[in-house]
Amino acid sequence: MPEVQMIARWTLDAGQAEEVLDLLIEIAEATRAEPGNLSFEIYRQVDDPLEVVLLERYASRQALAAHRETPHFQELVLARAVPRLVDRVLEVFDADDV
């Protein structure tokens, strides 16, 4: 069963950027503690600090699905962060050894 790489691209609302960035710290800490999470990294675009990329790696598709059911994902991501975003794009890849 391959690992899964997720790339989440968030466009922050200028008026709520600091609140979302604070939430991202909480989200990262909680996600990194999940048994199926292999890594969770946050990057801000050099030329546009309102563009954020999250690189998340999970042990399997099931681990990613379990992540999406956690209370911290439901509360911090879906209920509190996503409504403050201008845009959100998710890409999910099987991370096969090619």
Side-chain angles (χ1 to χ4, degrees):
M1 184 175 310
E3 294 177 359
V4 174
Q5 178 71 48
M6 184 164 76
I7 302 170
R9 300 175 193 278
W10 289 12
T11 303
L12 308 180
D13 181 297
Q16 300 191 58
E18 290 308 313
E19 292 90 344
V20 173
L21 293 170
D22 288 344
L23 284 171
L24 273 172
I25 293 169
E26 289 182 64
I27 293 164
E29 289 175 1
T31 302
R32 288 176 184 141
E34 294 173 29
N37 179 265
L38 303 175
S39 67
F40 187 106
E41 302 299 328
I42 304 165
Y43 299 95
R44 290 177 81 179
Q45 190 177 91
V46 172
D47 296 334
D48 186 352
L50 295 178
E51 295 293 330
V52 176
V53 172
L54 311 176
L55 299 181
E56 305 176 44
R57 187 105 169 192
Y58 296 90
S60 65
R61 289 181 185 185
Q62 291 79 8
L64 174 58
H67 162 69
R68 291 178 172 163
E69 297 299 321
T70 61
H72 60 265
F73 181 82
Q74 297 292 318
E75 173 61 23
L76 297 175
V77 176
L78 296 183
R80 295 176 60 193
V82 170
R84 292 183 161 112
L85 301 178
V86 172
D87 193 29
R88 176 176 174 241
V89 177
L90 304 176
E91 300 173 275
V92 180
F93 302 89
D94 282 332
D96 294 325
D97 292 330
V98 181

